[in-house]
C-alpha cells in the first residue's frame, strides 16, 4: 500500500500525526508531510485511521 | 436581505421548529426530537426563527459527507444562509474571518495562523498548561468552599493559555470575556452583538499596533510583523482574526471542563477510571469520549448549498440552507454502539465535536491538550470533589451557542 497526501487540501488539523506519528509529520505551518509513503503492513490500521480522521480528505491510500 | 423561504406556507406545518428542547432531567442528551428525526427522516426540513425552512442533517455519515462537500458554503453572505438568530446575522455580517469564507480565501487566511496549532508546537505548550492548571488548583485548595468552578477554574484555564499564546494581557480578561459572552448568548440583541464585536476588534487593533512597535514572541506579534507589515493582510483583518482566536477557545474549552465535570460526577465509575490512571492514552481516549458525549457546539454547523446536491434520495437545492447537528451525529448508533452511554474506554476519535471538513476547529490540538491536562489533574488532586448544590439546581446553557452550565458550585 502506498500513501499519497495532497498538501494544498491540508487544514493542519494534526489528526494524522496523532494517529500515525511514524508515517505523518507537519511542517512549520502544520501542513502534512510524509515520513514514508510505503508504511509497513503493521502500520496499515493506523494509516487507515489517519485517512478516516483527516477532515479535509488530504490523505489517500493506494493499493499496489 | 430579503427573507426567502423555498417552501409554501402549508408545507411549514410539517416542519418541526428548530432548535428543539432537551428532555427534562437529561442535560447531557440531545433533544429527543433530533434523534427521532435521525431514525425516521435523517434529511428533514425544519422551521427556524426567521420563518425559513433549511435542511436539518442528523446522521453521522450524511454530516461527514456534506461537511466535506465544497458545494456547501460557509459564506454567510450567500442568500439562503441559515443564521442562528437576528443577532447572529448582525454579527456575521460585520465579522470577516476565515470561519465564514470558502476556499481559496479561507485556506489562504487560515494558513496564516496554523503554525501554533501544529502538534509539536502544542505539545511544547503542555508543560505551560500543566503549570497554569496546577496554579489554579493550588488557589482553589487555599480558597473558600464552596466555590464556583466555572469562574475559579474552568474559564481561567483556556483564557490564560490563549492569552499566553496570542500575547494578550490576561489583566484585560474581564473585558474580553464579558464581550465574548454577549456574542455567544442567544438572547443578545443585534445591537449588543455588533457593539461587543466592535469593542473586541478595536481592542485587538490597538494591541496589534503595540506589537508592531514592540514585537514579542507571540502569535499576534507574528501576525503584526510578518503578515500586516508585509501587506498580506490589513491590521483590521488581523484584528478580526485575533478576536476569533481569542474568543473561540474561551467558551468552548471552559464549558467542556465544567460540563465534563458534571457528567463525570454523575458517572463515578467513569470518573474513577480517569482519576486513577497515569496512562496518557487512557486520558486521551477519555477526552475524545467526553467530546463526543457532550458535543457542546449544540447549535448546528450552518451552511448554504451553492449547487444542487443529491444525497440519499433527497435533493438539496442551490440556495437551500443546511444545519448539521453534530450532537445528534455523535449519538448515531450506526457509528457509536450504545451511543447514550458515557464510556471513557471506547474509541470515539471519529466524533464530529470539532466539526468536519475544511472548517474543522483550528484550535482542536490545543483544546485536547488543555482537556487532557485538566481531566488528568483536577480529579486526582481534589479526590473528593463534589457538587455543592443539588443536581437539579444547575442552570444549563440551553440558550447558548455553546452548551454548558452557567455556574458550577463545588466543594470537597
Amino acid at each position: 500500500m502506498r500513501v499519497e497526501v495532497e498538501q494544498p487540501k491540508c487544514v493542519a488539523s494534526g489528526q494524522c500525526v496523532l494517529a500515525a506519528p511514524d508515517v505523518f509529520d507537519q511542517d512549520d505551518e502544520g501542513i502534512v508531510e510524509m515520513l514514508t509513503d510505503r508504511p509497513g503492513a503493521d502500520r496499515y490500521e493506523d494509516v487507515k485511521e489517519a485517512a478516516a480522521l483527516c477532515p479535509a480528505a488530504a490523505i489517500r491510500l493506494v493499493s499496489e | 436581505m430579503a427573507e426567502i423561504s423555498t417552501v409554501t406556507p402549508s408545507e411549514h406545518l410539517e416542519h418541526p421548529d428548530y432548535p428543539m428542547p432537551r428532555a427534562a432531567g437529561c442535560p447531557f442528551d440531545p433533544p429527543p426530537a433530533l434523534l427521532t428525526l435521525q431514525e425516521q427522516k435523517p434529511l428533514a426540513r425544519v422551521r427556524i426563527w426567521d420563518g425559513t425552512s433549511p435542511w436539518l442533517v442528523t446522521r453521522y455519515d450524511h454530516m461527514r459527507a456534506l461537511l466535506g462537500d465544497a458545494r456547501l458554503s460557509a459564506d454567510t453572505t450567500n442568500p439562503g444562509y441559515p443564521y442562528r438568530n437576528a443577532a447572529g446575522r448582525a454579527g456575521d455580517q460585520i465579522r470577516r474571518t476565515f470561519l465564514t469564507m470558502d476556499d481559496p480565501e479561507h485556506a489562504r487566511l487560515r494558513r496564516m495562523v496554523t503554525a501554533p496549532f501544529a502538534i509539536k508546537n502544542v505539545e511544547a505548550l503542555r508543560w505551560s498548561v500543566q503549570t497554569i492548571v496546577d496554579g489554579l488548583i493550588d488557589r482553589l485548595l487555599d480558597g473558600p468552599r464552596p466555590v464556583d468552578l466555572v469562574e475559579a477554574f474552568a474559564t481561567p484555564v483556556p483564557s490564560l493559555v490563549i492569552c499566553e499564546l496570542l500575547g494578550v494581557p490576561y489583566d484585560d480578561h474581564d473585558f474580553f470575556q464579558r464581550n465574548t459572552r454577549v456574542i455567544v448568548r442567544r438572547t443578545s440583541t443585534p445591537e449588543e452583538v455588533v457593539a461587543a464585536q466592535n469593542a473586541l476588534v478595536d481592542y485587538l487593533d490597538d494591541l496589534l499596533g503595540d506589537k508592531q512597535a514592540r514585537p514579542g514572541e507571540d502569535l499576534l506579534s507574528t501576525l503584526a510583523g510578518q503578515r500586516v507589515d508585509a501587506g498580506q493582510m490589513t491590521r483590521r483583518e488581523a484584528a478580526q482574526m485575533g478576536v476569533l482566536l481569542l474568543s473561540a477557545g474561551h467558551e468552548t474549552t471552559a464549558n467542556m471542563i465544567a460540563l465534563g465535570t458534571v457528567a463525570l460526577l454523575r458517572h463515578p465509575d467513569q470518573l474513577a477510571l480517569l482519576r486513577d490512571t497515569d496512562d496518557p492514552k487512557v486520558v486521551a481516549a477519555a477526552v475524545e469520549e467526553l467530546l463526543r458525549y457532550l458535543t457542546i457546539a449544540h447549535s448546528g454547523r450552518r451552511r448554504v448549498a451553492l449547487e444542487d446536491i443529491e444525497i440519499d434520495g433527497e435533493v438539496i437545492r442551490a440556495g437551500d440552507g443546511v444545519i448539521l447537528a453534530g450532537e445528534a451525529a455523535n449519538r448515531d448508533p450506526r457509528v457509536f454502539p450504545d451511543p447514550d452511554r458515557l464510556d471513557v474506554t471506547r474509541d470515539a476519535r471519529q466524533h464530529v465535536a470539532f466539526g468536519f471538513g475544511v472548517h474543522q476547529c483550528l484550535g482542536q490540538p490545543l483544546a485536547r491538550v488543555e482537556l487532557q491536562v485538566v481531566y488528568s489533574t483536577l480529579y486526582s488532586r481534589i479526590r473528593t470533589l463534589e457538587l455543592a448544590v443539588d443536581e437539579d439546581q444547575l442552570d444549563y446553557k440551553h440558550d447558548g451557542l455553546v452548551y454548558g452550565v452557567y455556574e458550577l458550585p463545588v466543594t470537597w
Side-chain angles (χ1 to χ4, degrees):
Chain A
M1 184 172 71
R2 196 171 46 137
V3 187
E4 293 178 355
V5 297
E6 287 182 76
Q7 289 179 323
K9 281 189 173 180
C10 177
V11 294
S13 78
Q15 299 280 290
C16 53
V17 180
L18 294 175
D22 47 354
V23 180
F24 302 101
D25 197 1
Q26 291 171 298
D27 69 12
D28 290 342
E29 295 197 337
I31 302 306
V32 61
E33 285 184 334
M34 261 189 309
L35 298 173
T36 170
D37 65 351
R38 282 187 172 73
D42 61 327
R43 308 303 298 131
Y44 285 3
E45 281 309 306
D46 287 344
V47 172
K48 279 183 198 163
E49 170 119 41
L53 290 175
C54 176
I59 297 171
R60 210 169 45 197
L61 312 180
V62 186
S63 336
E64 297 187 306
Chain B
M1 190 196 308
E3 289 169 9
I4 305 159
S5 176
T6 52
V7 291
T8 62
S10 65
E11 285 179 283
H12 270 149
L13 296 174
E14 297 169 23
H15 300 152
D17 285 335
Y18 181 89
M20 293 142 175
R22 286 173 197 262
C26 298
F28 309 119
D29 292 341
L34 277 184
L35 301 177
T36 303
L37 283 178
Q38 185 182 73
E39 288 313 308
Q40 296 178 0
K41 196 157 180 34
L43 293 156
R45 300 198 80 146
V46 290
R47 188 167 193 203
I48 62 170
W49 65 281
D50 61 356
T52 60
S53 299
W55 294 89
L56 181 72
V57 178
T58 45
R59 258 174 56 174
Y60 179 89
D61 56 345
H62 291 160
M63 180 152 173
R64 290 228 335 184
L66 286 166
L67 284 178
D69 193 323
R71 293 173 296 177
L72 271 193
S73 169
D75 186 343
T76 53
T77 61
N78 281 317
Y81 182 89
Y83 289 104
R84 286 182 176 85
N85 51 29
R89 180 169 61 193
D92 281 346
Q93 282 173 354
I94 60 163
R95 191 164 40 217
R96 289 293 290 156
T97 67
F98 57 82
L99 206 62
T100 55
M101 294 175 185
D102 296 328
D103 284 340
E105 206 181 7
H106 155 267
R108 184 181 71 82
L109 288 169
R110 178 169 167 138
R111 284 202 178 193
M112 290 186 186
V113 286
T114 47
F117 301 101
I119 299 297
K120 57 178 172 284
N121 292 334
V122 169
E123 279 304 321
L125 285 175
R126 187 181 288 269
W127 182 244
S128 171
V129 175
Q130 185 73 56
T131 304
I132 285 170
V133 167
D134 279 328
L136 288 165
I137 294 174
D138 289 342
R139 282 176 58 181
L140 281 180
L141 291 170
D142 287 342
R145 285 172 284 174
V147 64
D148 175 16
L149 196 74
V150 172
E151 190 189 349
F153 183 74
T155 306
V157 169
S159 191
L160 282 158
V161 172
I162 197 69
C163 282
E164 192 170 306
L165 195 151
L166 289 178
V168 170
Y170 182 72
D171 287 349
D172 295 336
H173 72 278
D174 280 342
F175 164 77
F176 48 75
Q177 282 169 4
R178 190 173 63 243
N179 284 292
T180 300
R181 261 182 227 125
V182 170
I183 293 171
V184 299
R185 194 175 57 201
R186 204 180 275 167
T187 51
S188 295
T189 65
E191 294 75 22
E192 285 170 339
V193 168
V194 169
Q197 178 72 18
N198 284 333
L200 287 169
V201 174
D202 288 345
Y203 170 80
L204 261 295
D205 193 70
D206 285 348
L207 198 55
L208 283 161
D210 293 345
K211 304 280 181 191
Q212 281 176 305
R214 288 176 297 280
E217 296 290 308
D218 50 74
L219 176 57
L220 288 182
S221 292
T222 307
L223 269 187
Q226 294 178 14
R227 306 298 187 184
V228 178
D229 287 350
Q232 293 175 6
M233 65 197 312
T234 66
R235 203 167 94 185
R236 202 72 187 165
E237 285 173 326
Q240 298 215 11
M241 198 183 270
V243 171
L244 175 65
L245 298 175
L246 181 62
S247 56
H250 264 105
E251 282 289 311
T252 45
T253 308
N255 282 305
M256 271 304 298
I257 294 171
L259 194 64
T261 299
V262 181
L264 288 165
L265 289 173
R266 279 175 65 145
H267 295 84
D269 56 327
Q270 301 298 306
L271 177 57
L273 290 171
L274 251 183
R275 189 175 51 208
D276 300 332
T277 185
D278 292 326
D279 185 345
K281 284 189 176 153
V282 173
V283 175
V287 166
E288 300 309 315
E289 170 65 351
L290 282 156
L291 286 163
R292 178 197 74 85
Y293 181 73
L294 298 172
T295 315
I296 55 167
H298 71 147
S299 302
R301 310 277 164 178
R302 311 273 171 143
R303 298 288 188 271
V304 55
L306 299 177
E307 300 172 30
D308 291 358
I309 301 171
E310 191 175 347
I311 178 163
D312 212 4
E314 296 280 5
V315 179
I316 296 171
R317 299 279 175 202
D320 284 352
V322 182
I323 299 173
L324 305 110
E327 71 273 40
N330 277 340
R331 297 291 184 102
D332 191 333
R334 293 158 198 81
V335 182
F336 304 101
D338 198 1
D340 298 334
R341 192 160 60 89
L342 175 67
D343 174 4
V344 298
T345 66
R346 82 162 85 213
D347 181 1
R349 276 188 294 182
Q350 69 274 39
H351 67 74
V352 287
F354 289 116
F356 196 70
V358 298
H359 288 283
Q360 194 183 57
C361 175
L362 170 69
Q364 57 170 307
L366 182 60
R368 284 195 166 93
V369 167
E370 290 175 348
L371 294 173
Q372 287 164 7
V373 171
V374 164
Y375 292 150
S376 65
T377 309
L378 178 63
Y379 317 121
S380 58
R381 284 199 60 196
I382 311 183
R383 298 184 68 84
T384 56
L385 187 78
E386 60 180 13
L387 292 186
V389 294
D390 287 339
E391 274 176 20
D392 57 12
Q393 287 181 24
L394 292 176
D395 191 8
Y396 291 91
K397 295 182 176 175
H398 297 291
D399 62 346
L401 194 60
V402 179
Y403 191 56
V405 284
Y406 284 100
E407 288 180 1
L408 184 58
V410 293
T411 191
W412 51 89

